[in-house]
Amino acid sequence: MRSPWRTALIGAPVLALLFVFFVLPYGEMVAMSFRATASGAPYGEAWTLANYGKVIGDPFFLSVLSRTLGLGALITGLTLVLSYPLAMHLSRVSDRWHVVFYAFVVSPLLVGVLVRNFGWMIVVSFEGPLNQVLLALGLIDRPLRLLFNLPIVAVALVHVFVPFMVLPIANALGAVEPALYDASASLGARGWETFLRVTLPLSLPGVLAGVILVFVLSISAFVTPVLLGGQTVMMMSIIIIQQLIGVFAWPFGAALAISMSVASIAIIVLLTLIARPLTRRTARWS
């Protein structure tokens, strides 16, 4: 069998899955976003730009979109700060403890999303364990209202997204030759100089992969903002679900979803272009 045909045969199932579960739904959603609203049917026969005009012209939807992207950037930054030391430790731990530490890192993913969020609701509730501990330590005089606000949503999302940042960075750091650290030390570099000139640049491909992954997951999160944020944390995913299921405005909901996808893709492309020179330099060093 000729090599090109064998390659096409091997890749055919993947291409078929991508077409059925990615290209086809997205294509249908894009087409639906240009349809007019109709009563008694998901959308009418007429084509219109009114749905996108409503998204761009309404300050409410633009503010929700900017808040969603800003919250995604905040959660991504916090996750990166917490995950990098964990990834460094995971990449350097001995083989015997590697599996144990790996299990601790991925443990947030082993619990269902509803169970995990209800756990957070119990912990930070008005009479929950956290308030009881703070009262017992004398740090507060009365229980704090910790539920249904932005900080608890951010903390809960960071908690679950840490593995998605740790694992790519740990893989990038694990591929670094240990001799580079020895060479840096033998040339007189101190610990922080080795980190800035060797460790951090060589981990950039993993950092970029983790940042993109966590950012996309953050802006599309739905269950955690609904359960822990209540009506006070309004994100684009909640608005889209309300339009699709609450008021059955499928064309406008599709326009909102496409608008958020375009905005997130633009940010990811910009971030990739900014990081490209650094990742190319890292590839030459590797």
Side-chain angles (χ1 to χ4, degrees):
M1 185 178 293
R2 297 177 59 183
S3 179
W5 287 106
R6 184 170 55 186
T7 304
L9 186 61
I10 294 174
V14 177
L15 294 176
L17 288 175
L18 284 176
F19 180 78
V20 173
F21 294 106
F22 182 76
V23 177
L24 201 58
Y26 257 82
E28 180 65 22
M29 186 176 295
V30 171
M32 186 187 299
S33 67
F34 290 102
R35 291 287 192 173
T37 304
S39 59
Y43 51 85
E45 295 296 330
W47 297 86
T48 179
L49 293 173
N51 297 316
Y52 287 99
K54 187 177 179 181
V55 174
I56 299 173
D58 195 324
F60 171 74
F61 296 114
L62 292 180
S63 66
V64 173
L65 177 59
S66 61
R67 185 187 308 134
T68 301
L69 297 176
L71 182 59
L74 173 66
I75 292 171
T76 303
L78 293 175
T79 306
L80 177 60
V81 170
L82 289 176
S83 299
Y84 203 96
L86 293 175
M88 288 185 63
H89 187 68
L90 182 61
S91 65
R92 297 175 181 179
V93 73
S94 64
D95 292 340
R96 185 178 61 174
W97 290 103
H98 187 273
V99 176
V100 177
F101 198 78
Y102 184 90
F104 277 116
V105 169
V106 300
S107 60
L109 304 178
L110 303 179
V111 181
V113 60
L114 287 177
V115 175
R116 187 170 57 242
N117 285 291
F118 277 122
W120 275 107
M121 294 176 72
I122 293 172
V123 170
V124 302
S125 63
F126 201 69
E127 297 181 351
L130 182 58
N131 270 318
Q132 296 299 324
V133 170
L134 294 177
L135 286 171
L137 294 176
L139 299 177
I140 56 176
D141 297 328
R142 64 185 65 179
L144 300 176
R145 186 177 181 276
L146 301 173
L147 198 57
F148 305 132
N149 53 42
L150 183 59
I152 186 59
V153 174
V155 170
L157 289 178
V158 168
H159 166 238
V160 71
F161 290 152
V162 161
F164 296 99
M165 186 72 77
V166 169
L167 298 182
I169 299 176
N171 288 334
L173 291 173
V176 178
E177 289 291 338
L180 291 176
Y181 301 121
D182 299 334
S184 178
S186 65
L187 293 174
R190 287 172 288 186
W192 62 271
E193 290 176 322
T194 300
F195 173 78
L196 291 178
R197 298 188 177 188
V198 178
T199 307
L200 184 59
L202 291 177
S203 66
L204 281 179
V207 171
L208 182 61
V211 165
I212 292 175
L213 193 58
V214 171
F215 179 73
V216 172
L217 292 174
S218 300
I219 63 174
S220 60
F222 174 72
V223 176
T224 299
V226 168
L227 292 180
L228 300 181
Q231 298 296 322
T232 60
V233 181
M234 191 59 64
M235 294 183 64
M236 205 62 176
S237 57
I238 300 176
I239 298 293
I240 293 172
I241 295 299
Q242 288 177 348
Q243 294 297 320
L244 293 176
I245 299 178
V247 297
F248 297 102
W250 286 26
F252 182 59
L256 287 172
I258 296 300
S259 299
M260 189 178 73
S261 299
V262 170
S264 62
I265 291 173
I267 292 175
I268 291 171
V269 170
L270 179 63
L271 183 63
T272 305
L273 292 177
I274 294 174
R276 177 179 291 180
L278 296 175
T279 53
R280 284 181 174 175
R281 187 188 306 172
T282 301
R284 288 198 298 269
W285 290 356
S286 301

